Amino acid sequence: MPDTAGDTPNAPRARRGVLRALIERHGRKGAIAVPYLWLVVFFLVPFLIVAKISLSEVRIAIPPYGPLLDVVNGAVVGIRANFNNYTALVGDALYWKSYLSSLEIASLSTLLTLLVGYPIAYAMARAPRNRRAVLLMMVILPFWSSFLIRVYAWIGILKDEGYLNHLLLGLGIIHQPLNILHTYSAVYIGIVYSYLPFMVLPLYANLEKMDWSLLEAAADLGCAPLKAFWKITVPLSMPGIVAGCFLVFIPAVGEFVIPDLLGGSSTLMIGKTLWVEFFNNRNWPLASAVAIVLLLFLVGPILLFQRLQARHAERNG
Amino acid sequence: MRKGLTAFNYISLILGFSFLYIPIILLIIFSFNESRLVTVWAGFSTKWYGALARNQSILDAAVVTLKVALMSSTLAVVLGTMAGFSLSRFRRFKGRTLFSAMIFAPLVMPDVIIGLSLLLMFVAMGIDRGIVTITLAHATFSMCYVAVIIQSRLSSFDRSIEEAAMDLGCPPLKTFFLITLPVIMPAVVSGWLLSFTLSLDDLVIASFTTGPGATTLPMRIYSQVRLGVTPQINAVSTILIGIVAVGVLIASILNRRQEMQRMRNERMAADNA
């Protein structure tokens, strides 16, 4: 390769050599350290800051919270950390009602998603092998399109003058438009719709591997189909059921967009309460405390889910 | 073994897919509605698409969203590939448990908590918020998805090829670029695509981490949707759905072609053996 650099042709090449040697020598450390540090800076540290701010006082200032320590000439003269924000959460009915209703909505909609998703996953798993890829694609496709748009689509359907009421009035099934939008029913519909793929995919992955000859054996021995389903299919698909339920329940607890757009002002969910506290009331310390308590509610299910996943991966890997 | 589906199976599939697709189909149909009222059909028209082309605020938001999505998904793929590779290849290192917990946690954490914590950090550090901070936030949660995809791909990958290359004197970095990366390329591409759509889609985290002048498309759509249903939003939605559908179609065709190529290669290898 002709070198146009002139009298020191080896210098850039040598430098590149040093760089390469450095990467070769420390490549392993670098591959770990770069993403590790990134997550510490952009994931772990932010949580510590939230925890810190949840202990401080709200102030009318920029930023709207007070310092934890009083520092005069570099010496700490007083600690201002307090649990007022946490006691406020317990004292004000709005907050614990939000937590309870979030847990209730998330649990019930997880159950509904399971009831809607199981027959779909089951039928997909029983479909001929060459059709399964297409069916799988059809479940994933809506999941790739925007979540916000899919929630928005339901406003047009559920409104008082929406498509559903048009249809039902036109067919003469009802004579008064149903009031669904801005009620809890709309929130349930929205969550079941948006999270359905999270339920169907793990269930399908599980049912697809099932040995169907077990059902035939049960039938040969005189077991009724429904009983065989309860005694064989359901227990064998338990890992899929558990994974699907976690994948729906955990994000549903903190959901903000669905209760806000479909539930209207009357629905209480903790994600929405946090948002309002932060943006409308500008009470950052209280919003931080809401987030920390929400996280504490979720730590149990998240750890349990991770352990189940790890055990599952071990068994399969 | 019994072949085919029962009537119950068919009904489940038909009802299930109707539930999934009818809202989206109605949205698309009514984006071509002449009437201002979104729910009453008054004839075919593309006027809402024309109105969209003149709507500067939507166009600006689309540009911001694309910039953020392109930058954050590229960053996420680099970081996520390193993380996934480290997790699957280096079985023991200090703080591995914390590392894998940090990879896993953002996948299940509610958006409001991630958004709030990042914003409070940016404020505490005195960092000005805007396109850069949204990009950093998106890269952070997307890299976790990429890491999981890469890790699962590497776990089914024959390590002896890498070892053979290194035994023959190929340095580790060169081995990675010549052997490992080409093999996991489909996972890298799907990781990039997933990060890209996650970024396009995100409303909550972007709302927390944005600053003046950086409004993303979901934020713009959200503020208009809160005022009521408008045909222009149906038109934006239809365009976005169209882009995603074309993207997924191309990806699946590429995937299928690659799969067929692999099967052909394997058959040839088997014939030669």
Side-chain angles (χ1 to χ4, degrees):
Chain A
M1 195 179 83
D3 203 313
T4 50
D7 43 58
T8 53
N10 284 330
R13 207 172 298 160
R15 212 179 304 137
R16 216 180 303 144
V18 170
L19 187 69
R20 180 173 294 169
L22 212 66
I23 293 174
E24 290 296 356
R25 190 108 146 275
H26 301 287
R28 181 195 146 117
K29 268 184 223 155
I32 300 172
V34 173
Y36 204 132
L37 280 177
W38 182 282
L39 284 173
V40 168
V41 171
F42 290 108
F43 190 72
L44 198 59
V45 169
F47 275 115
L48 299 177
I49 292 175
V50 173
K52 190 199 106 177
I53 291 173
S54 75
L55 296 173
S56 60
E57 281 167 1
V58 64
R59 288 223 178 138
I60 301 170
I62 298 171
Y65 54 88
L68 278 192
L69 304 174
D70 285 330
V71 181
V72 177
N73 297 331
V76 177
V77 296
I79 298 172
R80 294 222 197 173
N82 64 69
F83 289 91
N84 293 351
N85 298 310
Y86 291 95
T87 45
L89 290 189
V90 183
D92 193 332
L94 171 74
Y95 299 106
W96 54 264
K97 273 187 184 157
S98 303
Y99 283 112
L100 286 181
S101 100
S102 291
L103 292 175
E104 188 191 322
I105 291 173
S107 322
L108 191 53
S109 43
T110 303
L111 192 67
L112 289 170
T113 315
L114 179 63
L115 290 178
V116 175
Y118 204 103
I120 302 174
Y122 187 84
M124 283 168 66
R126 302 232 68 173
R129 194 165 289 276
N130 54 356
R131 296 243 189 96
R132 285 185 204 163
V134 176
L135 292 173
L136 194 61
M137 195 68 202
M138 283 178 70
V139 174
I140 298 173
L141 199 60
F143 175 70
W144 280 83
S145 75
S146 167
F147 174 72
L148 180 62
I149 289 171
R150 283 181 291 141
V151 175
Y152 163 77
W154 278 97
I155 300 179
I157 297 175
L158 298 177
K159 283 199 306 184
D160 286 358
E161 65 278 19
Y163 311 126
L164 184 65
N165 276 322
H166 268 286
L167 181 74
L168 293 178
L169 287 171
L171 291 174
I173 296 170
I174 53 169
H175 301 287
Q176 285 282 314
L178 296 174
N179 180 14
I180 307 174
L181 192 66
H182 301 318
T183 67
Y184 280 100
S185 312
V187 178
Y188 286 115
I189 294 172
I191 294 180
V192 172
Y193 181 71
S194 309
Y195 291 119
L196 193 59
F198 287 115
M199 183 64 84
V200 172
L201 295 177
L203 278 175
Y204 166 75
N206 187 275
L207 286 168
E208 208 237 332
K209 283 181 294 195
M210 210 179 105
D211 183 359
W212 301 106
S213 59
L214 290 173
L215 287 184
E216 278 167 43
D220 288 346
L221 294 171
C223 183
L226 205 60
K227 195 174 174 192
F229 175 76
W230 277 114
K231 293 263 174 197
I232 298 169
T233 315
V234 170
L236 280 177
S237 61
M238 226 14 149
I241 295 176
V242 171
C245 286
F246 273 118
L247 285 179
V248 174
F249 178 80
I250 296 170
V253 174
E255 185 52 53
F256 160 74
V257 177
I258 297 170
D260 192 56
L261 290 183
L262 300 181
S265 53
S266 60
T267 42
L268 270 183
M269 274 190 91
I270 198 64
K272 212 178 115 184
T273 307
L274 190 158
W275 177 284
V276 168
E277 203 57 66
F278 187 87
F279 284 110
N280 302 9
N281 303 344
R282 287 191 63 78
N283 192 339
W284 292 15
L286 192 59
S288 303
V290 170
I292 295 288
V293 175
L294 172 58
L295 203 60
L296 291 179
F297 272 119
L298 286 176
V299 161
I302 288 175
L303 287 181
L304 201 64
F305 177 63
Q306 199 189 13
R307 183 162 318 157
L308 288 171
Q309 287 289 95
R311 207 193 298 162
H312 192 67
E314 232 166 67
R315 214 182 301 138
N316 290 355
Chain B
M1 198 190 135
R2 188 171 53 94
K3 289 274 173 205
L5 295 169
T6 63
F8 178 74
N9 292 154
Y10 273 114
I11 293 169
S12 315
L13 285 179
I14 291 167
L15 287 181
F17 285 118
S18 310
F19 180 56
L20 278 176
Y21 282 92
I22 283 176
I24 298 173
I25 292 167
L26 283 173
L27 188 84
I28 295 171
I29 292 173
F30 278 87
S31 75
F32 294 104
N33 189 4
E34 173 69 33
S35 164
R36 206 179 168 77
L37 293 166
V38 188
T39 48
V40 182
W41 183 257
F44 181 87
S45 157
T46 52
K47 69 175 177 187
W48 303 114
Y49 291 87
L52 206 59
R54 292 185 298 275
N55 188 335
Q56 199 55 45
S57 72
I58 292 258
L59 294 177
D60 289 344
V63 171
V64 170
T65 309
L66 275 179
K67 273 187 196 162
V68 169
L70 284 172
M71 290 191 296
S72 69
S73 50
T74 307
L75 206 54
V77 159
V78 174
L79 291 164
T81 305
M82 286 167 113
F85 185 80
S86 303
L87 278 175
S88 91
R89 285 292 178 262
F90 309 135
R91 285 279 155 213
R92 279 201 186 82
F93 57 85
K94 232 183 219 165
R96 192 180 192 278
T97 318
L98 176 67
F99 189 45
S100 63
M102 285 195 302
I103 293 285
F104 179 78
L107 306 182
V108 289
M109 201 71 78
D111 288 351
V112 277
I113 298 187
I114 297 181
L116 176 79
S117 64
L118 278 164
L119 168 62
L120 292 179
M121 183 189 73
F122 291 138
V123 170
M125 304 269 167
I127 297 168
D128 283 335
R129 278 162 286 133
I131 286 190
V132 175
T133 45
I134 307 177
T135 305
L136 292 174
H138 283 187
T140 305
F141 73 80
S142 300
M143 73 170 273
C144 300
Y145 286 89
V146 178
V148 170
I149 293 174
I150 297 287
Q151 194 189 356
S152 74
R153 174 79 194 189
L154 278 172
S155 66
S156 64
F157 167 60
D158 189 2
R159 264 193 95 166
S160 57
I161 310 174
E162 281 172 3
E163 278 157 9
M166 284 198 267
D167 285 347
L168 294 170
C170 186
L173 190 69
K174 204 172 175 186
T175 307
F176 178 79
F177 280 107
L178 283 183
I179 297 182
T180 317
L181 194 60
V183 174
I184 62 169
M185 210 49 190
V188 173
V189 172
S190 54
W192 191 90
L193 284 172
L194 182 62
S195 306
F196 191 78
T197 30
L198 284 172
S199 173
L200 283 189
D201 200 18
D202 170 63
L203 163 73
V204 175
I205 294 172
S207 300
F208 273 103
T209 53
T210 188
T215 306
T216 64
L217 199 50
M219 288 164 68
R220 178 65 62 203
I221 292 175
Y222 174 70
S223 65
Q224 297 212 347
V225 165
R226 294 197 61 164
L227 302 174
V229 180
T230 80
Q232 264 194 49
I233 297 299
N234 283 25
V236 183
S237 307
T238 303
I239 292 172
L240 287 176
I241 290 167
I243 292 171
V244 169
V246 169
V248 171
L249 197 70
I250 291 172
S252 66
I253 289 172
L254 287 177
N255 208 10
R256 192 169 208 166
R257 195 179 290 169
Q258 202 175 14
E259 195 80 348
M260 269 153 68
Q261 182 70 41
R262 216 193 63 205
M263 272 159 67
R264 233 186 335 242
N265 289 347
E266 274 168 13
R267 210 174 304 138
M268 268 166 65
D271 289 346
N272 289 341

